[in-house]
Amino acid sequence: TEVEVRLNLTFAEDTRLVKLALYPAESPFEFLGETVYGTETLAQDQQEEAAQKWLAAAGETSCLTLINDGVYGSSCDGKALYQTLISSCGYSAHPMEGRQHVPEDRYVQNSDHIRTEYRFWINGGPREERLAAVSGEALIRQQPPMVLAAFSGKCQGSRGSMWEVDNPAVTVPAVKQAENGSGIVFRLFNSGSQGQTACLRMGQSQTKLTFGPYELKTVLWDGEQFLETDLLEGLYHKEETYHG
């Protein structure tokens, strides 16, 4: 059901704003956008709003989602979603008498615009199904695999995944070395408003996790087993008194 849209924009307008309009079939709808480890309800008063990887028009039963590839401004008037593409306003042009406000030796007077290509992914479906899946889909779209040329001297053959999670509604926004240098830390996030379960596997080790709505968990792999811990990785549990 997904549709990819590629836009190439050559912009030569002065003091103008260009937006991509998307008209949902179901009305009324909630105007939603991704925020840090959560979903935010955005205003429908045509004022500029900020969101991260995706926008959504969530009706009572259905939902239309719009994933972007690196733009963050948007607005809504209750009838359509408007993803902001480009603006030619003077971002740093505080008026001062007798002083030039913005450079005038540019193709577009009020701003320099370099980026002219945009990609969007539009999808629709049942409300809760779409909202549970869109964050994981956005991660895949915005963080494509990196290909590296390497040669170890031996032909090892295919080894499969280093680690995996079996529920697409649970994303893994970070994997890093433990702060104490021993083990690997996983951040796992339930990106939807419904509870979820997921199994995290690495080699022969695995653990089953239960998530509440929008819950973030930290799991440590110590080389042999998974241990659930806190965001600080259990390093600062001792009560300390600070004397300033």
Side-chain angles (χ1 to χ4, degrees):
T1 58
E2 184 179 77
V3 176
E4 180 181 351
V5 177
R6 297 191 181 193
L7 300 177
N8 286 286
L9 176 63
T10 301
F11 189 63
E13 296 287 338
D14 192 20
T15 61
R16 292 291 184 271
L17 191 66
V18 179
K19 290 176 176 279
L20 171 69
L22 189 64
Y23 292 84
E26 185 176 353
S27 183
F29 57 81
E30 286 185 89
F31 181 35
L32 305 176
E34 186 190 45
T35 186
V36 180
Y37 292 120
T39 300
E40 184 176 0
T41 300
L42 307 176
Q44 300 190 33
D45 57 3
Q46 303 185 50
Q47 297 298 309
E48 199 75 359
E49 297 282 349
Q52 295 183 351
K53 300 181 186 68
W54 55 265
L55 298 173
E60 186 175 348
T61 59
S62 65
C63 182
L64 187 69
T65 57
L66 177 67
I67 296 172
N68 67 73
D69 73 336
V71 293
Y72 57 87
S74 63
S75 60
C76 180
D77 60 3
K79 299 178 181 178
L81 310 185
Y82 299 96
Q83 181 82 69
T84 305
L85 303 182
I86 206 165
S87 171
S88 60
C89 62
Y91 287 100
S92 181
H94 185 71
M96 298 180 69
E97 186 176 353
R99 182 174 177 178
Q100 182 180 344
H101 298 164
V102 293
E104 296 182 355
D105 59 344
R106 305 291 188 265
Y107 179 57
V108 178
Q109 177 179 325
N110 280 13
S111 190
D112 257 338
H113 299 308
I114 299 173
R115 185 179 184 200
T116 58
E117 182 175 303
Y118 305 86
R119 296 176 71 189
F120 298 96
W121 294 267
I122 303 169
N123 210 334
R127 176 187 170 111
E128 296 305 330
E129 179 182 303
R130 275 282 80 225
L131 292 178
V134 65
S135 289
E137 294 170 351
L139 280 175
I140 293 171
R141 297 293 180 267
Q142 294 192 355
Q143 299 178 23
M146 181 182 295
V147 179
L148 300 175
F151 180 64
S152 65
K154 295 182 180 180
C155 181
Q156 300 291 339
S158 176
R159 288 185 171 272
S161 300
M162 181 179 177
W163 54 267
E164 61 184 6
V165 177
D166 65 357
N167 186 343
V170 176
T171 61
V172 186
V175 180
K176 69 181 191 72
Q177 186 180 35
E179 291 297 316
N180 63 9
S182 177
I184 299 174
V185 167
F186 296 83
R187 309 272 193 223
L188 297 100
F189 175 59
N190 173 20
S191 58
S193 60
Q194 304 294 314
Q196 299 286 346
T197 60
C199 184
L200 171 63
R201 299 184 181 90
M202 186 168 181
Q204 300 300 314
S205 300
Q206 66 178 32
T207 184
K208 187 173 183 180
L209 302 166
T210 301
F211 295 82
Y214 302 110
E215 184 175 3
L216 175 68
K217 287 182 179 289
T218 300
V219 177
L220 170 68
W221 186 69
D222 64 2
E224 297 181 355
Q225 61 182 335
F226 288 109
L227 303 169
E228 190 171 341
T229 182
D230 54 31
L231 285 171
L232 298 179
E233 303 171 28
L235 299 176
Y236 305 103
H237 284 172
K238 292 182 179 180
E239 185 175 334
E240 298 179 357
T241 303
Y242 174 71
H243 300 283

